[in-house]
Amino acid sequence: MKIGFIGLGNMGSGMAANLLDYCKSQGDELLVLDLNQTVVEQFIANGASAGESVKNIAQQCEVIFTSLPSSVQVNQVAFGEDGILENALTGATWFETSTNELAEWEKVREAAPEDMTLIDAPVTGGSEGAAAGTLTMLLGVEEDTLAKFAPMLDAFTKKAVRMGPAGAGYVTKLSQLHLNYLVAMGIGEALMMGAKADLDLNVLHNVLQNSCAQSYVVDNYIPKVLDGSYDRSFALGLATKDMRLITELGSHLGIDMTLANSVYDNYKVATDKYGAEVPHLSVLKLIEEQSDQLLRT
């Protein structure tokens, strides 16, 4: 079997590396494609094949995975005479693992050949989880289809969860991200209360970890605020894009997203002020500047 992987960024490279090991063990071939040719060459040196183009991958691969920044790039690889939909093999399956817009993905699904299976399959667990093969995949898929591909997905996930029919994976991922960004903003205010009261912020962090406030965000983000790195594994512009998707989904579903709208406003201000490429926790610089106090140990 030939499997294609398009998008070898922070998340995609880890997933594809584990998938390559699976292919080697199964006698399958992995074709990879990315704008960064250096990363592609590293995969080729380790046994993958050059995908060369979206069209070439679509014409050769029974299964395709994509890991891309936004719906813009997903649509670029999907549509057109050189895109996946126009060139897909009969009966091909496409796992789309990005954080995508539900409405845009529905347009892709509507344009797909009837014999093709398109699965929204966003992942959570960070770049470290992608590298370790411990991601959680959230799927909008039927049970029998998931069972068919379970061994392949086990190659780079710790858990592949069927959330419901098509679209359910994206909704789940945005729900999870909603809480992630709410808590990220919250830790800035919580730490600032401690800093202004002259608490030892490392001790405060330990207390938060061993209280009802404990979470992945508290465990992993606070140290990256206290050391001034603001977590370089993810960009502020991408976080702001995620918040836009969250607020748009809430509007689409008729939900009053008061908290999400407030957080989104902060992310937009921070992106305008600091740039889209800075670490995502740079949003907390707004709190530091407003309070005239750095959160440092």
Side-chain angles (χ1 to χ4, degrees):
M1 178 190 297
K2 290 186 178 182
I3 301 169
F5 204 108
I6 302 172
L8 303 173
N10 287 337
M11 296 296 293
S13 59
M15 289 190 283
N18 286 297
L19 189 56
L20 178 57
D21 289 340
Y22 169 84
C23 289
K24 290 177 179 178
S25 70
Q26 299 296 312
D28 296 331
E29 181 180 0
L30 183 68
L31 282 69
V32 295
L33 181 67
D34 193 85
L35 295 176
N36 186 338
Q37 195 58 33
T38 299
V39 176
V40 172
E41 290 171 357
Q42 291 171 351
F43 271 87
I44 293 171
N46 198 31
S49 299
E52 298 180 358
S53 68
V54 173
K55 180 178 182 179
N56 184 59
I57 285 180
Q59 290 179 337
Q60 293 196 62
C61 297
E62 298 174 43
V63 181
I64 299 171
F65 290 89
T66 52
S67 177
L68 300 165
S70 73
S71 62
V72 173
Q73 290 77 22
V74 172
N75 288 349
Q76 286 173 347
V77 303
F79 295 113
E81 62 181 17
D82 296 325
I84 291 174
L85 302 184
E86 186 71 23
N87 295 281
L89 293 175
T90 300
T93 300
W94 176 7
F95 288 89
E96 210 301 286
T97 72
S98 316
T99 301
N100 197 359
E101 295 177 64
L102 179 59
E104 290 298 314
W105 182 241
E106 288 175 345
K107 294 176 185 177
V108 175
R109 291 185 63 250
E110 289 172 2
E114 290 186 6
D115 57 70
M116 188 177 185
T117 302
L118 281 72
I119 302 170
D120 50 298
V123 292
T124 182
S127 56
E128 65 274 17
T134 58
L135 295 172
T136 295
M137 177 174 276
L138 310 166
L139 298 112
V141 67
E142 299 305 319
E143 287 281 8
D144 56 346
T145 303
L146 177 56
K148 175 182 176 182
F149 290 102
M152 184 183 298
L153 300 180
D154 285 345
F156 61 90
T157 68
K158 183 178 181 180
K159 184 184 297 184
V161 185
R162 178 184 180 271
M163 298 306 304
Y170 286 146
V171 174
T172 305
K173 179 64 185 292
L174 291 176
S175 297
Q176 173 252 310
L177 287 175
H178 182 22
L179 286 177
N180 177 80
Y181 295 125
L182 288 180
V183 178
M185 288 295 299
I187 65 171
E189 294 184 356
L191 289 175
M192 189 57 69
M193 286 192 289
K196 287 292 188 178
D198 294 324
L199 300 184
D200 183 318
L201 296 185
N202 281 319
V203 175
L204 176 59
H205 179 215
N206 181 261
V207 170
L208 295 175
Q209 286 183 293
N210 292 278
S211 72
C212 61
Q214 189 278 330
S215 69
Y216 173 92
V217 175
V218 166
D219 290 347
N220 292 278
Y221 288 3
I222 288 181
K224 294 167 184 175
V225 175
L226 298 184
D227 69 11
S229 69
Y230 298 102
D231 189 8
R232 299 185 183 93
S233 69
F234 196 66
L236 179 60
L238 292 177
T240 304
K241 180 266 296 184
D242 288 345
M243 281 307 310
R244 175 180 62 81
L245 297 183
I246 290 163
T247 58
E248 288 177 351
L249 178 61
S251 178
H252 177 69
L253 297 175
I255 303 168
D256 181 1
M257 303 290 281
T258 302
L259 293 176
N261 289 329
S262 176
V263 172
Y264 183 32
D265 287 343
N266 279 280
Y267 275 84
K268 287 189 289 185
V269 170
T271 302
D272 289 342
K273 190 168 188 176
Y274 309 124
E277 301 303 320
V278 300
H280 71 107
L281 292 175
S282 297
V283 68
L284 300 187
K285 288 183 179 180
L286 296 176
I287 296 173
E288 292 179 318
E289 292 177 2
Q290 292 162 359
S291 304
D292 195 27
Q293 172 86 42
L294 291 177
L295 298 171
R296 298 288 184 277
T297 56

